[in-house]
């Protein structure tokens, strides 16, 4: 018999932990491959953790409402065969009053570095997707790196990489049809991960005293996590904003003219969002240095354009589902993607893959009547665009015959960007390009 650790998988670049909400299996239960064992919740999405093996659940390492770090073992499953793995608890409790803070930070980062290096070389646990033991074994035997494995398009359930997918990749690579991706040398990653930055203590907030008539409301779990991420983003990025006004009269009139036919032909409601998303994707293609992330002193230039769209939930919280490869979609495809993600967000039916991998975010503050906003960057991205409300306003219209006053539909675009890596010229040129695409919209366009 062997013992297998069921670990909390990686669920996105900015997701570091999750809360146990429900155990779906009890100690002694028989577990099949891909059986859901436990339900978890993050600040972005609720999900299930499936088993990578068949066996019997012999130990649960956490209780409901416990917070678990990505990569920590959740449970122990006993399987057939030999070669039991190390089942040492994933985290040792330390008395924080006695342990020096600097030593704890260094020890934690060294541990994370070791785990990252190990997962990249052996079990691929650092990846953003779920991989079955069979796929991992084939990858190890064929010398496939984590970067290569992540790039393989999966045809299995929820986009998982199957045996046939990885074998086809191996065949294509052997035939010279696949080239190995360029990755940063491992020693540079270790060096960056083990460097200990000086931690700046945040200013202490003045104590708040509630009177006997005040109502005290406990923040929700998601509310606490969102608050933490917002503060962390402001402390990480040097936020600066650029604002510009766009004339969207052509878009307003075109949508009004075609939305009925669009619904009849496509069965989809045509909103302004996919039209705006299309313009943003085109602008990112023109200015790819907006589509980056920062890692220490290096810049990671993203190959794919994955647009996050901030969506408000019924409880007042926000979630950011992601439209993958948005620049490759036509308007019909963009509309279907936007509507699908928005509907599933409202119905709490998003999957972990739906909210990860974003490279740029768009938020529509105009939904709530705001004409502009200064949004906080969605880490680890470096920019975010806020769409203001569309207003009918008097405007000066320039024509060959002269200027005159007319009624136009206009909106403000508010661009927040990380001034560490995006200067004012790039930040301003990018939002200007979005404006140009919106104002040049073809009123005779076919959808």
């Amino acid at each position: 018999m062997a013992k297998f650790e069921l670990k909390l998988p990686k669920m996105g670049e900015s997701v570091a932990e999750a809360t146990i909400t429900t155990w779906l299996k009890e100690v002694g239960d028989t577990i099949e491959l891909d059986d859901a064992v436990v339900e978890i919740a993050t600040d972005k999405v609720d999900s299930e953790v499936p088993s990578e093996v068949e066996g019997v659940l012999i130990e649960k390492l956490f209780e409901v409402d416990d917070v678990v770090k990505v990569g920590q073992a959740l449970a122990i499953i006993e399987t057939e065969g030999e070669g039991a793995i190390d089942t040492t608890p994933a985290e040792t409790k330390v008395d924080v009053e006695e342990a020096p803070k600097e030593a704890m930070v260094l020890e934690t980062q060294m541990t994370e570095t070791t785990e990252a290096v190990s997962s990249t070389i052996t079990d691929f646990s650092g990846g953003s997707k779920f991989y079955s033991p069979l796929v991992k074994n084939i990858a190890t035997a064929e010398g496939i790196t984590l970067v290569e494995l992540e790039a393989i398009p999966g045809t299995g359930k929820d986009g998982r990489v199957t045996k046939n997918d990885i074998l086809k990749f191996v065949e294509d690579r052997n035939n010279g049809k696949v080239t190995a991706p360029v990755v940063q040398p491992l020693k540079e990653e270790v060096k960056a991960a083990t460097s200990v930055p000086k931690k700046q203590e945040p200013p202490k907030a003045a104590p708040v005293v509630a009177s006997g008539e005040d109502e005290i409301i406990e923040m929700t779990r998601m509310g606490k996590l969102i608050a933490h991420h917002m503060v962390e983003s402001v402390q990480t990025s040097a936020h600066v904003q650029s604002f510009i006004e766009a004339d969207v009269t052509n878009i307003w009139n075109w949508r009004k003219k075609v939305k009925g036919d669009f619904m009849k032909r496509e069965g989809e409601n045509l909103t302004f969002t996919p039209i705006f998303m299309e313009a943003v994707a085109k602008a990112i293609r023109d200015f790819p240095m907006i589509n980056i992330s920062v890692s220490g002193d290096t810049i990671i230039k993203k190959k794919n354009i994955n647009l996050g769209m901030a969506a408000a939930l019924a409880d007042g919280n926000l979630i950011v589902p992601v439209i993958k490869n948005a620049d490759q979609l036509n308007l019909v495809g963009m509309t279907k993607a936007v509507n699908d993600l928005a509907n599933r967000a409202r119905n709490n039916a998003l999957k972990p893959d739906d909210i990860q991998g974003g490279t740029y975010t768009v938020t529509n503050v105009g939904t709530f009547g705001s004409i502009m906003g200064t949004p906080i960057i969605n880490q680890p991205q470096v920019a975010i665009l806020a769409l203001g409300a569309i207003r009918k306003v008097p405007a000066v219209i320039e024509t060959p015959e002269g200027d005159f006053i007319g009624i136009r539909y206009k909106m403000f675009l508010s661009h927040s960007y990380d001034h560490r890596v995006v200067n004012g010229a790039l930040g301003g040129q990018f939002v200007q390009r979005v404006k140009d695409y919106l104002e040049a919209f073809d009123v005779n366009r076919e959808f």
Side-chain angles (χ1 to χ4, degrees), residues 208-216:
V208 179
V209 179
S211 68
E213 298 179 353
D214 294 337
E215 181 183 3
I216 300 176

Side-chain angles (χ1 to χ4, degrees), residues 17-20 62-63 65-69 72 91 221:
E17 62 187 21
T19 302
I20 303 290
F62 292 93
E63 300 296 332
D65 294 332
D66 284 348
V67 177
V68 186
K69 301 290 185 183
Q72 279 190 275
E91 181 181 33
R221 174 190 55 80

Side-chain angles (χ1 to χ4, degrees), residues 347-407:
N347 295 322
N348 195 30
L350 291 173
K351 300 175 182 177
D353 186 60
D354 294 327
I355 49 88
Q356 70 179 22
T359 61
Y360 187 92
T361 296
V362 178
T363 179
N364 189 355
V365 299
T367 301
F368 312 105
S370 299
I371 62 171
M372 67 173 64
T374 54
I376 296 175
I377 296 169
N378 184 17
Q379 298 294 331
Q381 300 165 26
V382 299
I384 182 173
L385 182 69
L387 307 174
I390 299 176
R391 300 161 298 124
K392 190 162 61 172
V393 298
V396 175
I397 302 174
E398 299 179 357
T399 71
E401 292 74 29
D403 298 343
F404 66 93
I405 301 295
I407 302 299

Side-chain angles (χ1 to χ4, degrees), residues 31-337:
I31 297 175
E32 301 294 333
L33 182 65
D34 284 343
D35 270 359
V37 178
V38 60
E39 288 183 347
I40 52 117
T42 72
D43 61 319
K44 297 179 180 295
V45 69
D46 294 349
S47 185
E48 298 174 343
V49 178
S51 175
E52 303 174 43
V53 297
E54 296 179 355
V56 176
L57 180 63
I58 62 172
E59 185 178 1
K60 296 189 294 186
L61 301 179
F62 292 93
E63 300 296 332
V64 172
D65 294 332
D66 284 348
V67 177
V68 186
K69 301 290 185 183
V70 168
Q72 279 190 275
L74 298 167
I76 305 297
I77 299 173
E78 190 172 61
T79 64
E80 295 290 338
E82 299 179 353
I85 64 171
D86 181 12
T87 55
T88 303
E91 181 181 33
T92 303
K93 294 184 178 179
V94 179
D95 188 339
V96 295
E97 297 296 331
E98 297 180 1
K101 292 183 179 179
E102 294 80 7
M104 290 176 63
V105 171
L106 180 58
E107 180 180 355
T108 300
Q109 293 189 340
M110 288 295 291
T111 301
E112 291 174 349
T113 302
T114 303
E115 290 176 351
V117 173
S118 174
S119 63
T120 303
I121 298 174
T122 56
D123 65 354
F124 306 98
S125 61
S128 61
K129 302 178 182 177
F130 169 83
Y131 300 108
S132 69
L134 177 60
V135 169
K136 292 179 182 178
N137 290 337
I138 295 174
T140 302
E142 297 292 339
I144 297 174
T145 67
L146 176 59
V147 175
E148 291 175 310
L149 191 59
E150 293 275 281
I152 298 175
T155 60
K157 181 181 179 183
D158 297 332
R160 291 180 183 174
V161 176
T162 66
K163 172 185 174 182
N164 291 335
D165 295 331
I166 193 169
L167 290 178
K168 183 178 185 303
F169 173 83
V170 172
E171 180 182 355
D172 290 344
R173 189 179 64 172
N174 292 340
N175 293 332
K177 297 180 181 180
V178 177
T179 56
V182 178
V183 297
Q184 187 179 4
L186 186 60
K187 62 181 182 180
E188 294 296 328
E189 297 176 3
V190 174
K191 180 180 178 182
T194 54
S195 62
V196 183
K198 293 182 179 179
K199 185 176 181 180
Q200 184 177 2
E201 293 294 332
K204 294 183 178 179
V208 179
V209 179
S211 68
E213 298 179 353
D214 294 337
E215 181 183 3
I216 300 176
I217 302 174
E218 178 71 20
M219 291 178 67
T220 64
R221 174 190 55 80
M222 182 177 285
K224 293 176 184 177
L225 291 171
I226 290 176
H228 171 75
H229 289 314
M230 293 299 97
V231 172
E232 186 178 49
S233 179
V234 172
Q235 292 175 343
T236 299
S237 297
H239 282 64
V240 69
Q241 284 83 28
S242 293
F243 306 93
I244 200 165
E245 190 174 30
D247 187 327
V248 293
T249 305
N250 287 345
I251 294 175
W252 179 281
N253 293 335
W254 180 83
R255 174 184 172 271
K256 183 178 180 181
K257 178 179 67 174
V258 306
K259 64 180 182 180
D261 291 337
F262 192 94
M263 171 62 79
K264 291 178 182 178
R265 196 184 87 175
E266 303 296 336
E268 297 281 350
N269 181 30
L270 177 62
T271 65
F272 290 105
T273 300
I275 302 174
F276 297 150
M277 287 293 198
E278 182 184 58
V280 171
K282 289 180 180 178
I284 292 176
R285 198 160 49 192
D286 295 341
F287 295 95
M289 289 306 292
I290 284 289
N291 202 47
I292 64 174
S293 290
V294 180
S295 177
D297 294 329
T298 62
I299 292 173
I300 301 172
K301 186 178 177 182
K302 301 293 186 178
K303 177 182 179 181
N304 298 328
I305 297 176
N306 299 335
L307 294 184
M309 56 175 213
L313 301 177
D315 60 4
N317 287 312
L318 291 175
I319 196 167
V320 187
V322 177
I323 302 171
K324 305 293 176 61
N325 298 309
D327 59 318
Q328 299 177 22
L329 298 175
N330 60 18
L331 187 58
V332 173
M334 186 75 78
T335 301
K336 290 181 182 293

